[in-house]
Amino acid sequence: MTAIPYAEQFERLKPALPGAAGLREQAFARYAAHGFPGVKREAWRHTKLTPISSADLEPADASDVSPADIAAHLIPDALTLVFVNGRMDAALSNVEQAPKGVTIESLADVLARGDDLSPWLTQAAGDSPDDALVSLNTALMNDGAVIRVADGVQVEAPIHLLFFAKRGGMNQVRNVIVAGKGASVTVAEGYFGTRDVYWNNVVNQFFVAEGASVEHARQQSEGLAAYHIGSSRVRLAADARFNSVAIMLGGVVARNEVQVTIAGERAQCHLAGVSLGRSRQLHDSVTVLDHAVPNSISDQMFKAVLDDQSHAVYQGKVIVRQDAQKTDARQANHNILLARSAEASSKPELEIFADDVKCAHGATVGELDKDMLFYMQARGLEPKAARALLVEGFVLEVLERIVSPEIRDMFRTDIGGWLRGRPLS
């Protein structure tokens, strides 16, 4: 794949893209220098992007959805910003009820009125070939959310970013979340769509200031023809806390990458995820935890349940810099195969340059406990119900990390639907 088709798209689209012209030009030059990452790149070894790069994916046209289309995906009492084909739909959103000290806006509106977001946007535009799709997103981003929480503000209701894709195409989404000193906020992302072929290329940026706390939940339940590449960049100041839980059920190729820089002492980062795969789905979870200062904590727990010929990948790297003494870092990856034709790949890594640290990692791949299945069926449960109960118990450890009961219930419903064989949208 050459950069020519996207170069043509960029030249054609850029007069209509909101703001940040110089930033976009620089970002596209970085993308053009590298193109789509190939499987020879270690970070992309399992995620073949050829189906995306060779597909004829023009930016998705504007479309409409009705309140009934999204009703089942809403979080009760949340402040909701709805996007259809990558563009905010004000009529379906309710963020005008945001409390004092909180702004929730469309990225397109913020850039169009001339706000300078470059101090934030440039922090997710690395020169590495592995970041080429982040650069492409920076060049072509058309909308997303900008959430700013003032110092000391505690946001009670979850903020829900709901993305619905319809009729195919490509969506380049950028979300920027800034939590001021001592603030706290819960941000949920939900991705859904029709059965069309489309590509969501999403970049999130979280800036968590000193003493602030961000709860993050990510739900990817798109159709089995969808492609989804999600990249989150997180920066934590001293005493900050970031807790993120992601579930992946949908997409034919889906990737959730989280890179965290722990830049302040006593900061904590907790990452968790569940992948449920069937058919020929590929779900790729990639994390990089960079402990740059002393006295910080990170903890990771990723699980996958795989049926048919699906494939789940976990690549988790923890870096402990030379000055990052007293780091406490743990990572775990556990997988259950429901079919012998399913596959799980696990690669936990530690790069430690300090000598006074506590770091551990572990990975397992197995099947459901046959003795437990026999025990449950001997007491009257149908095989399918017994299997579903064991799977629910397996993923429960991850769901319990979600603080919001409304979001936890929504995730549990989604997982329950998968276990009952409910078709994805």
Side-chain angles (χ1 to χ4, degrees):
M1 173 69 183
T2 68
I4 293 174
Y6 283 99
E8 292 174 353
Q9 286 194 26
F10 181 57
E11 290 301 319
R12 177 166 51 86
L13 293 171
K14 68 181 181 183
L17 293 170
L23 191 66
R24 293 181 186 277
E25 294 280 359
Q26 296 167 17
F28 192 81
R30 281 193 299 275
Y31 162 75
H34 303 299
F36 273 60
V39 293
K40 291 184 179 179
R41 303 291 310 173
E42 183 62 22
W44 292 87
R45 188 156 64 97
H46 297 283
T47 307
K48 294 180 181 177
L49 295 173
T50 310
I52 305 176
S53 62
S54 60
D56 184 18
L57 291 172
E58 295 279 327
D61 293 330
S63 187
D64 296 322
V65 300
S66 70
D69 291 328
I70 62 169
H73 308 310
L74 296 173
I75 299 173
D77 301 323
L79 298 163
T80 304
L81 202 56
V82 177
F83 297 83
V84 180
N85 284 359
R87 299 170 178 81
M88 189 188 79
D89 187 323
L92 296 173
S93 305
N94 68 353
V95 294
E96 69 282 356
Q97 301 167 16
K100 185 179 180 182
V102 180
T103 59
I104 307 169
E105 300 175 279
S106 148
L107 175 79
D109 289 346
V110 173
L111 291 176
R113 73 169 180 251
D115 281 17
D116 183 13
L117 297 181
S118 57
W120 294 318
L121 296 178
T122 53
Q123 293 191 39
D127 294 329
S128 167
D130 291 335
D131 289 334
L133 297 188
V134 173
S135 295
L136 183 64
N137 174 283
T138 304
L140 293 174
M141 59 186 176
N142 56 331
D143 210 347
V146 178
I147 300 171
R148 288 177 271 204
V149 182
D151 292 354
V153 173
Q154 317 293 306
V155 187
E156 299 292 335
I159 298 173
H160 190 198
L161 309 179
L162 176 57
F163 297 87
F164 197 91
K166 188 175 181 181
R167 296 186 191 137
M170 173 181 68
N171 304 304
Q172 302 284 345
V173 175
R174 175 67 67 98
N175 301 312
V176 178
I177 298 97
V178 181
K181 289 182 180 179
S184 71
V185 62
T186 296
V187 178
E189 299 170 80
Y191 295 88
F192 307 91
T194 56
R195 298 182 182 181
D196 302 290
V197 176
Y198 62 88
W199 175 33
N200 273 332
N201 185 31
V202 181
V203 176
N204 294 324
Q205 294 181 262
F206 292 90
F207 298 90
V208 190
E210 184 177 340
S213 176
V214 173
E215 299 288 338
H216 175 229
R218 194 167 206 278
Q219 181 183 22
Q220 192 277 109
S221 297
E222 299 172 295
L224 289 176
Y227 300 104
H228 185 108
I229 305 295
S231 303
S232 293
R233 301 292 187 269
V234 184
R235 188 171 182 84
L236 303 181
D239 297 301
R241 184 179 187 278
F242 183 74
N243 179 44
S244 179
V245 177
I247 63 168
M248 279 195 288
L249 286 81
V252 61
V253 175
R255 176 176 165 113
N256 179 34
E257 176 184 318
V258 185
Q259 294 190 17
V260 182
T261 300
I262 298 182
E265 290 198 52
R266 299 173 299 282
Q268 295 188 32
C269 179
H270 304 273
L271 303 180
V274 171
S275 294
L276 301 178
R278 64 161 71 107
S279 186
R280 292 180 175 271
Q281 289 179 285
L282 169 73
H283 288 163
D284 191 359
S285 298
V286 180
T287 65
V288 178
L289 265 293
D290 188 347
H291 292 260
V293 296
N295 299 306
S296 61
I297 294 173
S298 70
D299 173 51
Q300 300 181 62
M301 170 65 72
F302 284 81
K303 294 190 173 187
V305 180
L306 303 165
D307 206 349
D308 302 325
Q309 298 177 63
S310 59
H311 183 191
V313 180
Y314 169 74
Q315 300 181 83
K317 178 183 289 187
V318 174
I319 304 169
V320 182
R321 304 286 175 182
Q322 188 171 8
D323 293 334
Q325 304 292 349
K326 305 293 184 185
T327 290
D328 185 348
R330 299 176 294 275
Q331 56 177 330
N333 173 231
H334 301 299
N335 305 277
I336 284 183
L337 306 183
L338 300 179
R340 294 294 174 91
S341 51
E343 182 180 357
S345 303
S346 184
K347 188 185 175 191
E349 292 181 86
L350 297 173
E351 289 186 4
I352 302 173
F353 302 98
D355 53 17
D356 185 10
V357 301
K358 289 194 295 184
C359 295
H361 63 196
T364 60
V365 179
E367 301 176 343
L368 288 177
D369 189 321
K370 289 184 172 56
D371 291 339
M372 285 299 297
L373 277 173
F374 176 80
Y375 176 85
M376 296 168 81
Q377 291 174 56
R379 278 151 181 78
L381 278 180
E382 295 292 332
K384 189 174 180 179
R387 196 168 78 157
L389 274 178
L390 287 180
V391 171
E392 282 185 312
F394 176 69
V395 303
L396 187 62
E397 184 180 11
V398 173
L399 297 185
E400 286 176 342
R401 295 180 176 223
I402 301 171
V403 174
S404 164
E406 294 85 2
I407 297 174
R408 194 185 317 127
D409 289 346
M410 187 174 66
F411 279 25
R412 184 171 289 164
T413 299
D414 222 15
I415 290 171
W418 186 89
L419 290 169
R420 291 192 299 275
R422 183 194 66 195
L424 293 164
S425 53

